[in-house]
Amino acid sequence: MSRYAQVAYTESVQQVQREQGSALSGIRQLSQGDAPDLMGTAEAGFIESRDGFYLASVGETGWPYVQYRGGPPGFLHVLDERTLAYADVRGNRQYITTGNVRAGGRVALFLMDYARQARLKIFGHAEVKEPEEHPELAERLDLQRTDGRVERLMTIRVEGINWNCSQHITPRFSEAELAEALQPIRDRIAELEAENATLLAEAAARR
């Protein structure tokens, strides 16, 4: 997370770290250099298994804006070790993120796995691309995307990544995760119901 530290640990942040006694950890991370962080197998697998993420951008007023993007697992594509992309579909038509990206492009992503209490944070530069001008990319992103009318393609050039600790992440489970976890219980209930029906039929036959 060499680049992540360079982006996140501003002088003000380092001052607070010194006040709170965590400066040594920050210094070690800053000393690792300023090369962009690369996504490996663990990051790619985690990203492509998510069905949503939070995307923060900054407008000309200096105010941040956070948007949630959801879709089927894999709709946020890992194109290579430094590039993410997704097909952006029509939403509430405020276009705040799109406008912010055009104005500056700096973004931050939070990807959460609530069930396993895992969190991946990403700094990057986003760029809006028109589907008709990038047909090959559009075709690739169309293989797995959010339902709806595709208005644009969004690519994100990754600068820094950081795995966050699991502390204070409240476990939550999606419908699909609950269905998988509960399937053995459902199977056992069905087995017991069938066994009970057999016993009742045998008892009735003996009367």
Side-chain angles (χ1 to χ4, degrees), residues 176-198:
E177 289 166 337
L178 284 173
E180 181 180 356
L182 292 174
Q183 192 57 51
I185 298 174
R186 292 194 177 102
D187 292 343
R188 181 55 176 160
I189 290 173
E191 180 183 339
L192 291 173
E193 288 177 340
E195 182 179 338
N196 187 55
T198 300

Side-chain angles (χ1 to χ4, degrees), residues 29-128:
Q29 294 165 15
L30 289 168
S31 68
Q32 295 175 9
D34 197 23
D37 296 329
L38 302 179
M39 295 179 291
T41 303
E43 288 78 22
F46 184 82
I47 291 167
E48 294 190 329
S49 68
R50 298 300 86 215
D51 60 3
F53 64 94
Y54 301 94
L55 175 64
S57 58
V58 181
E60 291 98 324
T61 59
W63 288 95
Y65 176 75
V66 179
Q67 182 180 57
Y68 180 79
R69 275 290 182 236
F75 83 100
L76 180 58
H77 297 252
V78 179
L79 301 185
D80 56 50
E81 59 188 3
R82 280 204 61 200
T83 312
L84 302 170
Y86 64 95
D88 201 16
V89 304
R90 174 169 291 184
N92 59 17
R93 307 195 73 184
Q94 292 183 347
Y95 302 114
I96 298 174
T97 297
T98 303
N100 288 350
V101 167
R102 285 185 179 179
R106 286 184 173 89
V107 296
L109 287 72
F110 255 51
L111 293 98
M112 304 294 301
D113 185 339
Y114 290 102
R116 298 167 184 80
Q117 295 177 286
R119 171 173 47 202
L120 181 63
K121 299 184 296 187
I122 299 174
F123 284 129
H125 294 276
E127 182 180 357
V128 174

Side-chain angles (χ1 to χ4, degrees), residues 72-77 86-87 139-146:
F75 83 100
L76 180 58
H77 297 252
Y86 64 95
E139 183 178 2
R140 177 171 177 177
L141 299 185
D142 193 59
L143 294 175
Q144 192 74 301
R145 67 173 179 87
T146 307

